[in-house]
Amino acid sequence: MSRPATIFTGLLVSGAILYQFRTELTSDMRQVRNQLNDVQNRLAGSVPGTKISNALTSHPTASILEKPKELIEESTTYLQNRVLPSVKDTWNSHVIGLAENVNELDAEKIQKMAKDVKDKWL
């Protein structure tokens, strides 16, 4: 396998992983927002007063839920700067090692060994 093919394959797999991660993150955030709104509506309907209805929005984590885009951008930056380079380096070293091992294989020698094993055991 040539180096450009290895790089292309690595980029393709990395892109697929990032796309899946982004999709799952978006789905999870949507689910959390829906649950939060559902709980807030139940609380607002069961106990009258603004104190209860604003309890969820005044919670310390409310600012996190209001800024999912910033969190996604921070996560993306972290993934691009920290995780992806190490995964990419590991992936590339494994693929290059595999390609070198495949290039060093001697098909005739392997066939001869397989035939010897077959003759010995069968």
Side-chain angles (χ1 to χ4, degrees), residues 19-74:
Y19 179 78
Q20 182 64 28
F21 179 75
R22 189 184 83 191
T23 303
E24 288 179 7
L25 187 63
T26 304
S27 172
D28 290 344
M29 287 301 294
R30 188 177 309 120
Q31 199 173 25
V32 167
R33 271 192 232 112
N34 288 341
Q35 288 176 354
L36 180 66
N37 287 335
D38 189 37
V39 168
Q40 190 173 12
N41 290 338
R42 278 194 228 148
L43 281 175
S46 64
V47 178
T50 58
K51 197 173 199 179
I52 297 297
S53 63
N54 293 330
L56 288 177
T57 56
S58 64
H59 195 271
T61 59
S63 62
I64 294 173
L65 295 174
E66 291 171 0
K67 301 176 184 177
K69 188 173 183 177
E70 291 176 14
L71 281 175
I72 291 173
E73 289 173 358
E74 289 175 12

Side-chain angles (χ1 to χ4, degrees), residues 10-22:
L11 289 173
L12 186 65
V13 170
S14 299
I17 290 170
L18 278 176
Y19 179 78
Q20 182 64 28
F21 179 75
R22 189 184 83 191

Side-chain angles (χ1 to χ4, degrees), residues 81-121:
N81 294 338
R82 290 286 192 114
V83 177
L84 288 182
S86 63
V87 171
K88 179 182 148 191
D89 291 340
T90 304
W91 171 265
N92 286 341
S93 65
H94 287 312
V95 170
I96 289 170
L98 178 66
E100 288 173 354
N101 289 336
V102 168
N103 287 337
E104 294 173 3
L105 288 177
D106 184 10
E108 292 175 4
K109 186 177 178 181
I110 293 173
Q111 286 177 344
K112 184 180 178 195
M113 288 173 55
K115 186 177 185 244
D116 291 344
V117 169
K118 179 183 169 188
D119 293 341
K120 183 179 179 181
W121 292 100

